[in-house]
Amino acid sequence: QVQLVQSGAELKKPGASVKVSCKASGYTFTSFYIHWVRQAPGQGLVWMGTINPSSGDTFYAQRFQGRVTMTRDTSTTTFYMELRGLTSQDTALYFCTRNSGAYHDDRVAFDYWGQGALLTVSS
Amino acid sequence: DIQMTQSPSSLSASVGDRVTVTCRASQGISHYLNWYQQQPGKAPKLLIYAASTLQSGVSSRFSGSGSGTDFTLTISSLQPEDFATYYCQQSYKTPPTFGGGTKVEIK
């Protein structure tokens, strides 16, 4: 069965960086783009960016440009999202999610999600 | 970016009620609209994509309709496990954007 298993909760100080992992299993790793979505406490869902698992090409939301890097390791079928220059505004639950391919083009519908990784930024 | 506006932001209904949630896009998005359900502390779950296509394994009491700028999610007979927050999301243009959510509470 398809699974996306994320790393655990993190506590970071302002200005630090965090790297969240997302291990994929149960499907062909290179066939589905992975996206990252975050959710601040009590707030809605915000798309951060995406990575092509075959080429490693990335596309980031403008608001995170320059602060985020998404990578993948094909040998371990794991995706990573690194966020730098953390502030308290980055306190959120970070999800990796898979584009289902339902639209048969690059438009997205997210069918499988990781369990979320809670990031708390506090001094 | 395309703005997605949901209404109401919350509602309270009884088991067995028919519930409707509305989502409006700031510009036309054709049928590129998805609906998700999120239980507290859990990841979202895809319910409907392409405005009206039920995701595999999702109960048929969920349905979606609409095109262009106005969309609805309907729960035909509310069940206790439907207590959750519902989000719409457009995939017409990048970046994909979500509505603010509709919290459904069980009376």
Side-chain angles (χ1 to χ4, degrees):
Chain A
Q1 72 284 20
V2 175
Q3 284 193 301
L4 298 173
V5 179
Q6 298 185 232
S7 47
E10 301 263 14
L11 174 61
K12 296 291 184 181
K13 294 191 183 301
S17 298
V18 69
K19 193 170 187 177
V20 179
S21 68
C22 170
K23 180 166 176 61
S25 62
Y27 71 96
T28 303
F29 179 77
T30 52
S31 294
F32 297 86
Y33 280 53
I34 287 291
H35 298 246
W36 291 85
V37 173
R38 80 177 188 182
Q39 185 172 37
Q43 302 300 307
L45 300 160
V46 176
W47 180 81
M48 299 181 68
T50 183
I51 182 167
N52 179 329
S54 290
S55 65
D57 289 346
T58 55
F59 187 87
Y60 305 133
Q62 189 170 10
R63 64 186 285 182
F64 298 106
Q65 283 274 3
R67 271 208 315 140
V68 70
T69 301
M70 297 175 187
T71 57
R72 93 284 189 231
D73 183 337
T74 57
S75 67
T76 61
T77 65
T78 302
F79 297 90
Y80 299 93
M81 187 282 298
E82 181 181 31
L83 190 61
R84 300 175 294 279
L86 296 172
T87 73
S88 59
Q89 303 301 306
D90 294 314
T91 293
L93 195 56
Y94 289 77
F95 294 103
C96 58
T97 181
R98 190 185 82 160
N99 181 18
S100 67
Y103 288 105
H104 306 293
D105 58 18
D106 60 353
R107 293 183 169 101
V108 299
F110 303 126
D111 62 349
Y112 286 92
W113 296 68
Q115 80 276 21
L118 180 62
L119 169 65
T120 303
V121 183
S122 175
S123 55
Chain B
D1 297 357
I2 297 176
Q3 306 302 314
M4 306 301 292
T5 304
Q6 287 183 235
S7 60
S9 57
S10 67
L11 66 89
S12 182
S14 299
V15 172
D17 282 354
R18 183 182 182 88
V19 169
T20 298
V21 177
T22 297
C23 178
R24 175 165 288 177
S26 60
Q27 66 180 81
I29 60 169
S30 184
H31 64 292
Y32 295 102
L33 190 284
N34 309 318
W35 288 99
Y36 300 85
Q37 174 195 68
Q38 187 178 33
Q39 305 283 358
K42 302 291 187 182
K45 173 186 176 182
L46 178 63
L47 299 176
I48 287 168
Y49 63 92
S52 61
T53 302
L54 201 65
Q55 173 70 356
S56 175
V58 173
S59 170
S60 59
R61 66 178 180 272
F62 292 95
S63 64
S65 65
S67 183
T69 60
D70 295 310
F71 301 85
T72 58
L73 170 71
T74 300
I75 309 172
S76 61
S77 179
L78 197 66
Q79 298 301 301
E81 60 267 31
D82 299 336
F83 163 73
T85 299
Y86 294 85
Y87 293 94
C88 61
Q89 174 244 317
Q90 67 81 20
S91 58
Y92 181 68
K93 278 188 179 177
T94 300
T97 48
F98 295 84
T102 295
K103 186 174 184 178
V104 176
E105 297 176 309
I106 309 298
K107 271 185 184 175

